[in-house]
Amino acid sequence: MSQPPIITAQGQVSNGVDQFTHALTAYLNHLGLPTENVLVPIHERQKVINNLPDVVSTIEYAKRGQSLYISKFIAACGAGLFDAALNFIWDETVVSLRKKVARFDLEYFFDSVVTDTVRRTKLKSEEDLVKIDEWELVRGCHLTGILSDIGYRHLDYIRDMRNWASAAHPNQNDLSGLQLVSWLETCIREVIAKDPEGPAIEVKRFLHSIRNAILGEQDAQHIRAGMEHLPVDIVKSLLRTIFGMYTSETTSIQIKSNIKLVAQKCWALAQDDSRFECGLRFATFAANGEAARRTLAHEFLAGVNGLGYLPPDNLAVELSEAITALFNAHNGYNNFHNEPVHARNLVAYIPNNGKIPESVRSRYVKTIVMASIGNGYGVSEMALPHYRVMISSFSEDEHKEFVRLLLERDLSARLSLRSCAPNFRQLAQSFMPLTTNQITLAALNMIGVSTDPQIPNLGKDSGYLRIINSF
């Protein structure tokens, strides 16, 4: 079907916007209601109207008819309600991400983003995607490769702006027309008009073969070779998924046989925190009395020579749950209010000697550091004393994990937000007198002398990577 010609009626729209504004203002006056700071100025709305044709033209014509929230975005901009328009941008993006996840691989997505085994059992179909928080949706799409690194950074920032500058907060006059149309363009370019590519497509192909084919050694060789080209974060998600598939009581013998052919390679490519996570899930099955899943987890770990990653005791399981609760509270709505109770709960699990089990140390340091540096809008003041207690008990092991954090993409994205990089640098400088490890000290010093724009990208700096790889 040929695309119909684009009819430009910007002059008519502008006149209509002007007439609507005057009529509404008069009506509000008639009712004795405020008229100041209700609608953004017409010249700001005009900026959106002038740029919309070019931005919307990047969406395939067939997809435009399904983009309800973009129509609502345009209507809200024309009416001068930029805070509502920002909500509609985000709603359209969330709807599009859910559709992509549903078309891509639901099980892989759920396994990648949900580490709580009890909660995971309740997530099975496309309808269950609404049970995933929006920050989890964005992060999960990043972990599975549906979103690129750049796309994740942009969307995480837009999500923050939506939370702080949308209709939930009376500050829409801080938004400009060019900002709004730029965010719309970003959401279209990175999500609405873009399909998964590269590593994400490879993983989808791998999982389809594992679930549906009868694999031989030659087939497995191709899959194992393809795994070598996957980013670390996606390897982590893939390991989490095949472990979850293997330990499910409903998984067929054929699928388990296929997993055995590729599991050891995936395990070898994964980092220690991913391996320890599998050990933690074994301990969780044991603690919950899930004997069948515990046996299958033991079988998987034995097959990849991973029994050494089992936690020494149940403390690690308890700590893991407390860390997850704090991490979720920090990333969720109303985080400044919700964080303190979870921070206090986590402090209660810290041993007197400050020794954190190796299996949860990486997530522990990451969660405490992310909460301590804030989300670009500040730090939970009531939780801050608890964070300081935990940070003060950091040993050399935690200092090493701290300098490794810059290799993680979501932490790097956080550091690009205002005040986060200075707070991170301040932490690094406070650790310098406390370590005698020359490698750790060199990494901390490099952080300490870096500028705010440099810190988010240190994890990709060849000099910094040489230091980290010296451990």
Side-chain angles (χ1 to χ4, degrees), residues 14-46:
S14 298
N15 290 335
V17 164
D18 194 34
Q19 292 170 7
F20 169 80
T21 300
H22 290 306
L24 180 61
T25 301
Y27 185 58
L28 292 175
N29 277 323
H30 174 72
L31 295 175
L33 293 172
T35 58
E36 295 295 323
N37 298 321
V38 175
L39 307 178
V40 297
I42 293 176
H43 70 272
E44 289 295 338
R45 289 180 254 175
Q46 188 67 49

mmCIF file of all heavy atoms in Angstrom, residues 14-46:
data_model
loop_
_atom_site.group_PDB
_atom_site.id
_atom_site.type_symbol
_atom_site.label_atom_id
_atom_site.label_comp_id
_atom_site.label_asym_id
_atom_site.label_seq_id
_atom_site.Cartn_x
_atom_site.Cartn_y
_atom_site.Cartn_z
ATOM 1 N N SER A 14 -1.827 26.164 14.489
ATOM 2 C CA SER A 14 -1.359 27.276 15.320
ATOM 3 C C SER A 14 -2.489 28.246 15.633
ATOM 4 O O SER A 14 -2.634 28.712 16.776
ATOM 5 C CB SER A 14 -0.208 28.012 14.610
ATOM 6 O OG SER A 14 0.884 27.151 14.421
ATOM 7 N N ASN A 15 -3.298 28.557 14.621
ATOM 8 C CA ASN A 15 -4.440 29.457 14.849
ATOM 9 C C ASN A 15 -5.422 28.833 15.835
ATOM 10 O O ASN A 15 -5.960 29.512 16.720
ATOM 11 C CB ASN A 15 -5.144 29.764 13.528
ATOM 12 C CG ASN A 15 -4.292 30.638 12.626
ATOM 13 O OD1 ASN A 15 -3.426 31.373 13.108
ATOM 14 N ND2 ASN A 15 -4.519 30.567 11.318
ATOM 15 N N GLY A 16 -5.657 27.520 15.670
ATOM 16 C CA GLY A 16 -6.569 26.835 16.576
ATOM 17 C C GLY A 16 -6.059 26.829 18.006
ATOM 18 O O GLY A 16 -6.828 26.989 18.961
ATOM 19 N N VAL A 17 -4.737 26.631 18.155
ATOM 20 C CA VAL A 17 -4.130 26.644 19.492
ATOM 21 C C VAL A 17 -4.324 28.003 20.144
ATOM 22 O O VAL A 17 -4.683 28.118 21.327
ATOM 23 C CB VAL A 17 -2.632 26.294 19.401
ATOM 24 C CG1 VAL A 17 -1.898 26.671 20.688
ATOM 25 C CG2 VAL A 17 -2.446 24.807 19.107
ATOM 26 N N ASP A 18 -4.112 29.066 19.361
ATOM 27 C CA ASP A 18 -4.247 30.432 19.883
ATOM 28 C C ASP A 18 -5.698 30.689 20.314
ATOM 29 O O ASP A 18 -5.964 31.218 21.404
ATOM 30 C CB ASP A 18 -3.814 31.423 18.809
ATOM 31 C CG ASP A 18 -3.602 32.818 19.372
ATOM 32 O OD1 ASP A 18 -3.163 32.919 20.540
ATOM 33 O OD2 ASP A 18 -3.881 33.796 18.665
ATOM 34 N N GLN A 19 -6.655 30.301 19.465
ATOM 35 C CA GLN A 19 -8.065 30.516 19.780
ATOM 36 C C GLN A 19 -8.475 29.708 21.017
ATOM 37 O O GLN A 19 -9.203 30.202 21.891
ATOM 38 C CB GLN A 19 -8.927 30.120 18.580
ATOM 39 C CG GLN A 19 -8.749 31.038 17.379
ATOM 40 C CD GLN A 19 -9.418 30.479 16.134
ATOM 41 O OE1 GLN A 19 -10.126 29.478 16.203
ATOM 42 N NE2 GLN A 19 -9.187 31.123 14.995
ATOM 43 N N PHE A 20 -7.982 28.468 21.107
ATOM 44 C CA PHE A 20 -8.311 27.623 22.255
ATOM 45 C C PHE A 20 -7.798 28.244 23.550
ATOM 46 O O PHE A 20 -8.492 28.268 24.565
ATOM 47 C CB PHE A 20 -7.696 26.228 22.056
ATOM 48 C CG PHE A 20 -7.750 25.356 23.286
ATOM 49 C CD1 PHE A 20 -8.906 24.675 23.632
ATOM 50 C CD2 PHE A 20 -6.626 25.227 24.107
ATOM 51 C CE1 PHE A 20 -8.957 23.880 24.762
ATOM 52 C CE2 PHE A 20 -6.667 24.434 25.247
ATOM 53 C CZ PHE A 20 -7.837 23.753 25.568
ATOM 54 N N THR A 21 -6.571 28.762 23.495
ATOM 55 C CA THR A 21 -5.965 29.338 24.700
ATOM 56 C C THR A 21 -6.771 30.530 25.193
ATOM 57 O O THR A 21 -7.064 30.649 26.396
ATOM 58 C CB THR A 21 -4.518 29.769 24.407
ATOM 59 O OG1 THR A 21 -3.771 28.622 23.993
ATOM 60 C CG2 THR A 21 -3.871 30.384 25.641
ATOM 61 N N HIS A 22 -7.145 31.437 24.274
ATOM 62 C CA HIS A 22 -7.919 32.618 24.664
ATOM 63 C C HIS A 22 -9.287 32.213 25.220
ATOM 64 O O HIS A 22 -9.748 32.774 26.236
ATOM 65 C CB HIS A 22 -8.085 33.562 23.476
ATOM 66 C CG HIS A 22 -6.805 34.246 23.081
ATOM 67 N ND1 HIS A 22 -6.033 34.965 23.982
ATOM 68 C CD2 HIS A 22 -6.165 34.312 21.879
ATOM 69 C CE1 HIS A 22 -4.969 35.452 23.360
ATOM 70 N NE2 HIS A 22 -5.026 35.056 22.084
ATOM 71 N N ALA A 23 -9.934 31.242 24.555
ATOM 72 C CA ALA A 23 -11.265 30.813 24.998
ATOM 73 C C ALA A 23 -11.192 30.153 26.375
ATOM 74 O O ALA A 23 -12.022 30.417 27.257
ATOM 75 C CB ALA A 23 -11.871 29.852 23.976
ATOM 76 N N LEU A 24 -10.190 29.312 26.587
ATOM 77 C CA LEU A 24 -10.075 28.619 27.875
ATOM 78 C C LEU A 24 -9.735 29.602 28.990
ATOM 79 O O LEU A 24 -10.284 29.522 30.090
ATOM 80 C CB LEU A 24 -9.003 27.526 27.797
ATOM 81 C CG LEU A 24 -8.781 26.732 29.086
ATOM 82 C CD1 LEU A 24 -10.054 25.993 29.492
ATOM 83 C CD2 LEU A 24 -7.628 25.745 28.937
ATOM 84 N N THR A 25 -8.836 30.547 28.688
ATOM 85 C CA THR A 25 -8.469 31.539 29.694
ATOM 86 C C THR A 25 -9.689 32.362 30.107
ATOM 87 O O THR A 25 -9.911 32.634 31.304
ATOM 88 C CB THR A 25 -7.366 32.464 29.161
ATOM 89 O OG1 THR A 25 -6.223 31.665 28.818
ATOM 90 C CG2 THR A 25 -6.958 33.499 30.197
ATOM 91 N N ALA A 26 -10.505 32.750 29.118
ATOM 92 C CA ALA A 26 -11.707 33.516 29.426
ATOM 93 C C ALA A 26 -12.671 32.694 30.278
ATOM 94 O O ALA A 26 -13.297 33.211 31.219
ATOM 95 C CB ALA A 26 -12.384 33.954 28.122
ATOM 96 N N TYR A 27 -12.782 31.403 29.950
ATOM 97 C CA TYR A 27 -13.687 30.539 30.709
ATOM 98 C C TYR A 27 -13.205 30.357 32.152
ATOM 99 O O TYR A 27 -14.005 30.384 33.093
ATOM 100 C CB TYR A 27 -13.794 29.183 30.005
ATOM 101 C CG TYR A 27 -14.804 28.259 30.631
ATOM 102 C CD1 TYR A 27 -16.141 28.618 30.766
ATOM 103 C CD2 TYR A 27 -14.417 26.996 31.075
ATOM 104 C CE1 TYR A 27 -17.073 27.767 31.337
ATOM 105 C CE2 TYR A 27 -15.335 26.135 31.656
ATOM 106 C CZ TYR A 27 -16.666 26.525 31.783
ATOM 107 O OH TYR A 27 -17.587 25.674 32.351
ATOM 108 N N LEU A 28 -11.915 30.207 32.341
ATOM 109 C CA LEU A 28 -11.365 30.067 33.689
ATOM 110 C C LEU A 28 -11.600 31.344 34.496
ATOM 111 O O LEU A 28 -11.923 31.296 35.693
ATOM 112 C CB LEU A 28 -9.875 29.732 33.636
ATOM 113 C CG LEU A 28 -9.508 28.346 33.091
ATOM 114 C CD1 LEU A 28 -7.993 28.198 32.975
ATOM 115 C CD2 LEU A 28 -10.075 27.243 33.973
ATOM 116 N N ASN A 29 -11.413 32.494 33.829
ATOM 117 C CA ASN A 29 -11.692 33.780 34.492
ATOM 118 C C ASN A 29 -13.158 33.860 34.919
ATOM 119 O O ASN A 29 -13.486 34.321 36.017
ATOM 120 C CB ASN A 29 -11.342 34.938 33.559
ATOM 121 C CG ASN A 29 -9.863 35.274 33.594
ATOM 122 O OD1 ASN A 29 -9.236 35.208 34.655
ATOM 123 N ND2 ASN A 29 -9.306 35.641 32.451
ATOM 124 N N HIS A 30 -14.037 33.403 34.009
ATOM 125 C CA HIS A 30 -15.463 33.437 34.307
ATOM 126 C C HIS A 30 -15.800 32.603 35.544
ATOM 127 O O HIS A 30 -16.668 32.953 36.344
ATOM 128 C CB HIS A 30 -16.242 32.917 33.091
ATOM 129 C CG HIS A 30 -17.719 32.768 33.337
ATOM 130 N ND1 HIS A 30 -18.580 33.856 33.457
ATOM 131 C CD2 HIS A 30 -18.492 31.649 33.488
ATOM 132 C CE1 HIS A 30 -19.805 33.412 33.685
ATOM 133 N NE2 HIS A 30 -19.794 32.083 33.705
ATOM 134 N N LEU A 31 -15.067 31.482 35.710
ATOM 135 C CA LEU A 31 -15.301 30.604 36.852
ATOM 136 C C LEU A 31 -14.552 31.049 38.098
ATOM 137 O O LEU A 31 -14.705 30.449 39.165
ATOM 138 C CB LEU A 31 -14.884 29.168 36.504
ATOM 139 C CG LEU A 31 -15.681 28.460 35.400
ATOM 140 C CD1 LEU A 31 -15.075 27.108 35.089
ATOM 141 C CD2 LEU A 31 -17.147 28.303 35.817
ATOM 142 N N GLY A 32 -13.722 32.076 37.963
ATOM 143 C CA GLY A 32 -12.952 32.559 39.098
ATOM 144 C C GLY A 32 -11.771 31.662 39.436
ATOM 145 O O GLY A 32 -11.289 31.667 40.578
ATOM 146 N N LEU A 33 -11.290 30.905 38.460
ATOM 147 C CA LEU A 33 -10.176 29.981 38.684
ATOM 148 C C LEU A 33 -8.872 30.591 38.197
ATOM 149 O O LEU A 33 -8.876 31.501 37.350
ATOM 150 C CB LEU A 33 -10.437 28.662 37.950
ATOM 151 C CG LEU A 33 -11.619 27.837 38.488
ATOM 152 C CD1 LEU A 33 -11.907 26.659 37.555
ATOM 153 C CD2 LEU A 33 -11.312 27.332 39.898
ATOM 154 N N PRO A 34 -7.727 30.103 38.682
ATOM 155 C CA PRO A 34 -6.424 30.644 38.250
ATOM 156 C C PRO A 34 -6.201 30.435 36.762
ATOM 157 O O PRO A 34 -6.637 29.432 36.189
ATOM 158 C CB PRO A 34 -5.408 29.836 39.064
ATOM 159 C CG PRO A 34 -6.183 29.273 40.211
ATOM 160 C CD PRO A 34 -7.573 29.064 39.719
ATOM 161 N N THR A 35 -5.532 31.383 36.152
ATOM 162 C CA THR A 35 -5.157 31.266 34.739
ATOM 163 C C THR A 35 -3.647 31.318 34.543
ATOM 164 O O THR A 35 -3.152 30.940 33.478
ATOM 165 C CB THR A 35 -5.794 32.406 33.920
ATOM 166 O OG1 THR A 35 -5.364 33.671 34.451
ATOM 167 C CG2 THR A 35 -7.313 32.321 33.968
ATOM 168 N N GLU A 36 -2.907 31.776 35.548
ATOM 169 C CA GLU A 36 -1.454 31.845 35.437
ATOM 170 C C GLU A 36 -0.841 30.457 35.672
ATOM 171 O O GLU A 36 -1.279 29.708 36.537
ATOM 172 C CB GLU A 36 -0.883 32.831 36.467
ATOM 173 C CG GLU A 36 -1.295 34.274 36.247
ATOM 174 C CD GLU A 36 -0.750 34.840 34.942
ATOM 175 O OE1 GLU A 36 0.391 34.485 34.580
ATOM 176 O OE2 GLU A 36 -1.460 35.613 34.276
ATOM 177 N N ASN A 37 0.187 30.133 34.875
ATOM 178 C CA ASN A 37 0.940 28.886 35.017
ATOM 179 C C ASN A 37 0.078 27.635 34.833
ATOM 180 O O ASN A 37 0.380 26.567 35.375
ATOM 181 C CB ASN A 37 1.641 28.820 36.384
ATOM 182 C CG ASN A 37 2.656 29.928 36.570
ATOM 183 O OD1 ASN A 37 3.365 30.285 35.630
ATOM 184 N ND2 ASN A 37 2.719 30.475 37.766
ATOM 185 N N VAL A 38 -1.015 27.775 34.099
ATOM 186 C CA VAL A 38 -1.842 26.610 33.783
ATOM 187 C C VAL A 38 -1.381 25.995 32.471
ATOM 188 O O VAL A 38 -1.161 24.790 32.375
ATOM 189 C CB VAL A 38 -3.334 26.995 33.704
ATOM 190 C CG1 VAL A 38 -4.168 25.793 33.264
ATOM 191 C CG2 VAL A 38 -3.813 27.525 35.050
ATOM 192 N N LEU A 39 -1.240 26.845 31.446
ATOM 193 C CA LEU A 39 -0.795 26.398 30.129
ATOM 194 C C LEU A 39 0.568 27.008 29.817
ATOM 195 O O LEU A 39 0.838 28.155 30.175
ATOM 196 C CB LEU A 39 -1.798 26.815 29.053
ATOM 197 C CG LEU A 39 -3.270 26.412 29.283
ATOM 198 C CD1 LEU A 39 -4.125 26.954 28.146
ATOM 199 C CD2 LEU A 39 -3.396 24.908 29.388
ATOM 200 N N VAL A 40 1.414 26.240 29.149
ATOM 201 C CA VAL A 40 2.715 26.786 28.763
ATOM 202 C C VAL A 40 2.506 27.809 27.636
ATOM 203 O O VAL A 40 1.495 27.761 26.919
ATOM 204 C CB VAL A 40 3.676 25.677 28.300
ATOM 205 C CG1 VAL A 40 3.960 24.710 29.422
ATOM 206 C CG2 VAL A 40 3.135 24.942 27.088
ATOM 207 N N PRO A 41 3.442 28.741 27.450
ATOM 208 C CA PRO A 41 3.272 29.779 26.422
ATOM 209 C C PRO A 41 3.089 29.193 25.024
ATOM 210 O O PRO A 41 3.604 28.116 24.710
ATOM 211 C CB PRO A 41 4.578 30.567 26.525
ATOM 212 C CG PRO A 41 5.077 30.333 27.914
ATOM 213 C CD PRO A 41 4.660 28.931 28.255
ATOM 214 N N ILE A 42 2.370 29.926 24.196
ATOM 215 C CA ILE A 42 2.072 29.450 22.843
ATOM 216 C C ILE A 42 3.346 29.263 22.028
ATOM 217 O O ILE A 42 3.462 28.313 21.241
ATOM 218 C CB ILE A 42 1.111 30.438 22.137
ATOM 219 C CG1 ILE A 42 -0.257 30.398 22.828
ATOM 220 C CG2 ILE A 42 0.971 30.101 20.658
ATOM 221 C CD1 ILE A 42 -1.250 31.398 22.278
ATOM 222 N N HIS A 43 4.351 30.134 22.221
ATOM 223 C CA HIS A 43 5.570 30.009 21.407
ATOM 224 C C HIS A 43 6.309 28.707 21.708
ATOM 225 O O HIS A 43 7.004 28.158 20.840
ATOM 226 C CB HIS A 43 6.495 31.217 21.613
ATOM 227 C CG HIS A 43 7.135 31.277 22.957
ATOM 228 N ND1 HIS A 43 6.540 31.900 24.048
ATOM 229 C CD2 HIS A 43 8.322 30.796 23.405
ATOM 230 C CE1 HIS A 43 7.345 31.798 25.096
ATOM 231 N NE2 HIS A 43 8.424 31.139 24.739
ATOM 232 N N GLU A 44 6.171 28.174 22.938
ATOM 233 C CA GLU A 44 6.786 26.874 23.244
ATOM 234 C C GLU A 44 6.016 25.752 22.554
ATOM 235 O O GLU A 44 6.604 24.792 22.053
ATOM 236 C CB GLU A 44 6.832 26.643 24.757
ATOM 237 C CG GLU A 44 7.822 27.503 25.515
ATOM 238 C CD GLU A 44 9.268 27.204 25.145
ATOM 239 O OE1 GLU A 44 9.542 26.088 24.643
ATOM 240 O OE2 GLU A 44 10.131 28.091 25.329
ATOM 241 N N ARG A 45 4.695 25.877 22.529
ATOM 242 C CA ARG A 45 3.893 24.866 21.841
ATOM 243 C C ARG A 45 4.185 24.883 20.338
ATOM 244 O O ARG A 45 4.198 23.845 19.678
ATOM 245 C CB ARG A 45 2.401 25.130 22.085
ATOM 246 C CG ARG A 45 1.964 24.842 23.513
ATOM 247 C CD ARG A 45 0.484 25.123 23.693
ATOM 248 N NE ARG A 45 0.258 26.349 24.434
ATOM 249 C CZ ARG A 45 -0.929 26.876 24.639
ATOM 250 N NH1 ARG A 45 -2.001 26.299 24.118
ATOM 251 N NH2 ARG A 45 -1.066 27.993 25.339
ATOM 252 N N GLN A 46 4.448 26.078 19.819
ATOM 253 C CA GLN A 46 4.738 26.219 18.399
ATOM 254 C C GLN A 46 6.004 25.456 18.011
ATOM 255 O O GLN A 46 6.106 24.881 16.925
ATOM 256 C CB GLN A 46 4.902 27.707 18.047
ATOM 257 C CG GLN A 46 5.030 27.982 16.556
ATOM 258 C CD GLN A 46 3.745 27.676 15.807
ATOM 259 O OE1 GLN A 46 2.678 28.103 16.220
ATOM 260 N NE2 GLN A 46 3.849 26.940 14.726
#
